[in-house]
Amino acid sequence: MASENTRKWAIIPEPNSMTVGEGTVLLPYAGRVNESIAIGDGDFLLAHQLVADIRSATGTDWDIATGDMWSGFIRLRIADSWDFDSQDGGTAGAYTLTINTDGITITSCDFEGVRNGVQTLRQLIRQNGAVLPVLQIEDAPAYRIRGYYLDATRGRVPTLAWLKQWADKLCLYKYNQLQLYIEHTFAFDGMSETWRGSSPLTPADTLEFDQYCANLGIELVPSVSTFGHQYVAMRTQELRELGEFPEDADRPFSFIERMRHHTLNVADDRAFAFSAQLVDSYLQLFRSKRFNICADETFDLGKGKSKQEAQRVGVATLYATYVGKLCEHLSKQGREPMFWGDIAIEMPEILETLPNNVTLLNWQYEPEATDEKIQLVAQAGAKQIVCPAVWGWNALLPRIDDAWNNIARIARYGLDCGAEGMLVTDWGDFGHVNDPRMAVPGMIFGAQYAWNPAGDTAENDLLERISRVEYGDCSARFVALLRNASAQAVFTWRELVEYLELDDGTGNCNTDVAQTIPCLADRLVDHLSDCGNAMTVREARNRMMRNMATTIERIPQANRALQQCMVDIAPIAAHMGNPGITAAVRIAMEGQLLLNRVGFPLAALLETRLVCWVFLFFQWFPHGSQFTPIHCKSLQLPEKCGQNVGTDGHDSPDHW
């Protein structure tokens, strides 16, 4: 293989076996892609992908043909016999790619393999134009299922056009499965009270997108919340009586309570009818035989309306019975059930009751995660797909280091334990305020490690390759600078939401919110016993900010570093020719500067009017299309906010 010093192009996922020869190959001015009809690509989409990239990179128009009577400089073929030795002993998705002076040939035993080879060639064309390296690749994925899970509920609801663009990108990096997380953002018949005002996806959207994904070799798997996370549905007049705590339906909206409450009361017979109706109507829109019923984070189970039944049979039995009933309902219709594994892992006796055709989605998002939970499921003999995360939630900038550590670890653990696949999750907690493009580096991490978890790819090397392949950055520094910027997030969207929502809307401390903040959870009971009174909002906020004092002190330094990142990244972005991502990154950095500036005075003074204003600003302009940095002086902070605010001698509101 040529040395890294001379090879200025990259491939993601990196091939398992690649030999780079001497010299280069010049693409013809008027060439042709010959795609075999045996591939099963009815619309010759793969050939059209190559022609489009050749046109974009070289300005030349190529022809498309099929059959042995037509020559083609690029040839896409199904092998008559196939003895490729892939990592897992299988051949699904494996391919060979040969580039030499005789032309370019991609060969596989199936459509997916040819598709994967075409994506490799597309990446090379995008970086090298008409002059390609001489090389030979033999490649195959480690995981049969390489999926992406996109939250389409907790904030923005993607349009069909945007979903198609995202599917195109997933295809380029060889993903073969996609799931959309749905709570209340689908237009189910008879549930308009739940989905109105949310710009819901429709059956027509789903049918069209399902076909679009299928053409790309991506399985679109239906996924809908059927047990926990029924926040919006259980707050409606029609459905609130199905929740564990219907009396809480009219509490003020809370991002944090949305994540932790409003579980379906499965002791009520009407609950199963509700879930079955969701499942039955949704599955008819998809060609996939798989169905994800979610069933995760059922925090309220056995604590409200179902408490008496839970005391009689046990919470684990109550959960397992309901999930088992839903799985059986799907199995009778020829479907393969999936659900999130957090509750089953907390109560391992549930694992013993799972039907053979059920797949557990084993999620672990800690950057330093161990293999304990994955080993537990493997030893129970249950089928599992491992699920790391892109780490984009609750923040404007992506936590790239956390994503890399989490994804690389979970991919290796899953491979060692015989997991069937990997599903990379992109959650939108607290309103999904981050621009969707901020998730791209994490998505590409997932593509690399789902393909080759056992590789020794270093993080910095992968960041450089992503810069080249995804962003067209010849300096290979773009993603590293984005990572450096994210490290300067001191006071984040999460802390701002927590701070605001400690007020329950009536001026009292919201104990449900306080219990989710570690520095407060341990003090709630102690405070009540010591003082005889519940903790006040001011006391809770003071304790929260005091707990962050050491972190807050580095805001001036962090903001200087963040501004330097903006300076360093600007000329690189200018040469990438992608104004959309350039604007998105700049807005995210400006937004984090503003959040840091908000956090600094809060550590010294609880200026609620300022915080509420900023909160509303982000609510109305989450993507900052007309973003103008707002300085604290323009918000008329009192002068005393400038006292004792930092260690660098700056104490004026202008500085913040």
Side-chain angles (χ1 to χ4, degrees):
M1 183 182 295
S3 72
E4 292 293 333
N5 292 330
T6 60
R7 183 160 62 90
K8 297 299 184 183
W9 45 268
I11 299 169
I12 304 174
E14 193 165 25
N16 291 296
S17 173
M18 178 170 65
T19 303
V20 179
E22 297 294 331
T24 56
V25 173
L26 181 65
L27 294 178
Y29 177 77
R32 176 183 293 131
V33 179
N34 186 302
E35 180 178 350
S36 171
I37 197 73
I39 294 171
D41 179 15
D43 295 328
F44 297 98
L45 173 68
L46 300 178
H48 282 291
Q49 284 182 330
L50 288 168
V51 168
D53 277 333
I54 291 170
R55 181 185 301 114
S56 178
T58 71
T60 60
D61 286 311
W62 278 39
D63 191 18
I64 293 173
T66 191
D68 57 12
M69 299 297 292
W70 298 92
S71 63
F73 192 79
I74 299 177
R75 300 172 291 275
L76 312 181
R77 296 286 177 261
I78 291 291
D80 294 330
S81 62
W82 188 256
D83 58 0
F84 187 89
D85 184 21
S86 68
Q87 289 185 3
D88 62 359
T91 59
Y95 70 93
T96 62
L97 167 62
T98 303
I99 302 177
N100 57 37
T101 53
D102 294 330
I104 301 171
T105 303
I106 296 172
T107 307
S108 179
C109 66
D110 56 22
F111 167 80
E112 184 181 350
V114 176
R115 183 204 72 149
N116 292 337
V118 166
Q119 307 318 308
T120 297
L121 181 56
R122 292 176 66 200
Q123 292 182 20
L124 289 170
I125 291 169
R126 290 183 175 196
Q127 295 170 80
N128 295 282
V131 182
L132 301 181
V134 173
L135 56 74
Q136 172 74 26
I137 290 175
E138 293 185 353
D139 204 9
Y143 281 118
R144 180 173 58 86
I145 296 172
R146 304 175 304 283
Y148 197 83
Y149 195 86
L150 178 65
D151 190 335
T153 281
R154 290 173 177 164
R156 57 183 173 269
V157 179
T159 64
L160 178 59
W162 187 90
L163 285 172
K164 288 179 177 180
Q165 292 177 4
W166 193 253
D168 289 338
K169 196 174 292 293
L170 293 176
C171 175
L172 180 65
Y173 294 107
K174 305 183 178 73
Y175 279 90
N176 62 5
Q177 188 182 105
L178 172 62
Q179 300 186 32
L180 304 179
Y181 176 57
I182 298 294
E183 288 177 16
H184 66 282
T185 52
F186 190 83
F188 288 104
D189 281 353
M191 293 184 62
S192 62
E193 190 184 2
T194 299
W195 50 255
R196 67 186 178 193
S198 68
S199 302
L201 293 166
T202 67
D205 293 331
T206 303
L207 290 171
E208 185 173 342
F209 189 49
D210 185 64
Q211 181 65 58
Y212 191 85
C213 287
N215 292 343
L216 292 172
I218 296 173
E219 178 187 15
L220 185 63
V221 175
S223 173
V224 64
S225 192
T226 61
F227 197 165
H229 291 302
Q230 294 288 343
Y231 185 74
V232 176
M234 297 301 108
R235 285 163 62 86
T236 64
Q237 293 296 328
E238 180 182 7
L239 298 172
R240 63 177 60 196
E241 289 302 319
L242 295 183
E244 285 277 10
F245 294 102
E247 63 272 17
D248 289 343
D250 293 323
R251 292 179 65 169
F253 175 85
S254 164
F255 280 128
I256 294 173
E257 289 187 39
R258 175 179 177 166
M259 300 298 301
R260 300 189 62 83
H261 293 293
H262 295 273
T263 299
L264 200 62
N265 169 23
V266 296
D268 189 326
D269 291 339
R270 295 174 297 173
F272 181 77
F274 168 73
S275 295
Q277 181 181 358
L278 292 178
V279 167
D280 292 347
S281 57
Y282 203 44
L283 66 80
Q284 294 179 355
L285 305 174
F286 298 79
R287 68 192 66 204
S288 173
K289 294 300 182 183
R290 297 182 175 91
F291 196 107
N292 181 3
I293 61 172
C294 295
D296 58 316
E297 297 187 327
T298 52
F299 297 117
D300 292 336
L301 182 63
K303 297 178 180 178
K305 290 283 190 176
S306 70
K307 184 175 183 178
Q308 184 175 353
E309 181 66 10
Q311 290 173 339
R312 186 179 72 84
V313 302
V315 174
T317 298
L318 189 62
Y319 178 90
T321 300
Y322 193 76
V323 169
K325 192 175 178 180
L326 278 175
C327 290
E328 182 182 4
H329 181 74
L330 280 163
S331 298
K332 287 179 179 178
Q333 300 179 73
R335 304 288 169 150
E336 300 174 15
M338 311 169 110
F339 67 93
W340 299 108
D342 52 307
I343 306 300
I345 290 170
E346 288 176 10
M347 306 174 187
E349 60 268 34
I350 295 174
L351 294 174
E352 301 173 2
T353 69
L354 297 179
N356 292 332
N357 68 333
V358 172
T359 300
L360 208 68
L361 301 174
N362 195 348
W363 60 269
Q364 285 182 266
Y365 302 150
E366 300 87 355
E368 306 298 326
T370 69
D371 66 349
E372 181 181 357
K373 293 180 179 179
I374 298 172
Q375 288 274 15
L376 177 67
V377 175
Q379 290 167 4
K383 294 194 298 183
Q384 67 177 318
I385 290 175
V386 293
C387 307
V390 300
W391 272 86
W393 61 82
N394 298 343
L396 298 179
L397 290 162
R399 286 153 290 189
I400 289 176
D401 284 342
D402 289 339
W404 182 80
N405 277 303
N406 177 234
I407 291 170
R409 286 171 183 268
I410 296 301
R412 289 194 297 269
Y413 299 155
L415 186 66
D416 292 342
C417 294
E420 295 193 345
M422 186 164 83
L423 182 67
V424 182
T425 60
D426 181 358
W427 293 105
D429 305 14
F430 295 7
H432 223 157
V433 295
N434 60 305
D435 188 288
R437 287 164 289 196
M438 296 297 103
V440 169
M443 180 270 285
I444 299 177
F445 289 165
Q448 171 64 47
Y449 288 103
W451 192 270
N452 184 10
D456 57 356
T457 302
E459 181 183 8
N460 287 336
D461 174 63
L462 188 50
L463 297 186
E464 290 179 2
R465 291 196 285 125
I466 295 172
S467 295
R468 291 186 186 279
V469 176
E470 171 63 21
Y471 299 106
D473 170 25
C474 294
S475 75
R477 297 177 59 219
F478 180 78
V479 184
L481 286 169
L482 183 60
R483 176 190 61 183
N484 295 345
S486 69
Q488 312 312 320
V490 178
F491 190 77
T492 68
W493 177 251
R494 180 189 183 98
E495 280 85 36
L496 180 59
V497 170
E498 289 174 340
Y499 183 94
L500 286 164
E501 293 193 354
L502 280 170
D503 187 332
D504 68 358
T506 66
N508 296 314
C509 179
N510 189 327
T511 55
D512 285 334
V513 170
Q515 287 170 357
T516 70
I517 304 173
C519 68
L520 298 181
D522 295 338
R523 282 291 299 157
L524 287 174
V525 176
D526 293 341
H527 190 279
L528 185 61
S529 61
D530 292 344
C531 304
N533 297 310
M535 187 180 293
T536 67
V537 176
R538 178 172 291 276
E539 288 167 337
R541 287 174 170 172
N542 270 324
R543 175 168 289 275
M544 173 185 167
M545 296 309 298
R546 282 199 302 271
N547 188 66
M548 293 187 65
T550 302
T551 304
I552 292 288
E553 284 179 359
R554 75 177 189 90
I555 282 180
Q557 177 185 356
N559 276 4
R560 287 193 295 271
L562 188 52
Q563 289 169 326
Q564 187 60 50
C565 285
M566 294 166 65
V567 171
D568 293 341
I569 211 168
I572 295 172
H575 287 88
M576 292 184 339
N578 188 340
I581 188 63
T582 301
V585 169
R586 175 62 186 272
I587 291 165
M589 291 183 180
E590 291 278 9
Q592 187 54 57
L593 279 171
L594 178 58
L595 284 171
N596 283 351
R597 288 167 178 157
V598 168
F600 205 99
L602 284 181
L605 178 72
L606 304 180
E607 179 55 46
T608 306
R609 288 183 292 113
L610 164 65
V611 182
C612 291
W613 192 96
V614 176
F615 185 78
L616 289 173
F617 176 84
F618 275 100
Q619 287 284 81
W620 282 102
F621 302 105
H623 303 137
S625 57
Q626 300 295 325
F627 190 94
T628 301
I630 305 296
H631 298 285
C632 290
K633 183 178 180 181
S634 67
L635 297 178
Q636 298 181 343
L637 279 177
E639 287 295 325
K640 63 181 179 180
C641 286
Q643 299 172 5
N644 303 318
V645 297
T647 58
D648 61 351
H650 296 283
D651 62 357
S652 73
D654 285 333
H655 173 65
W656 308 331

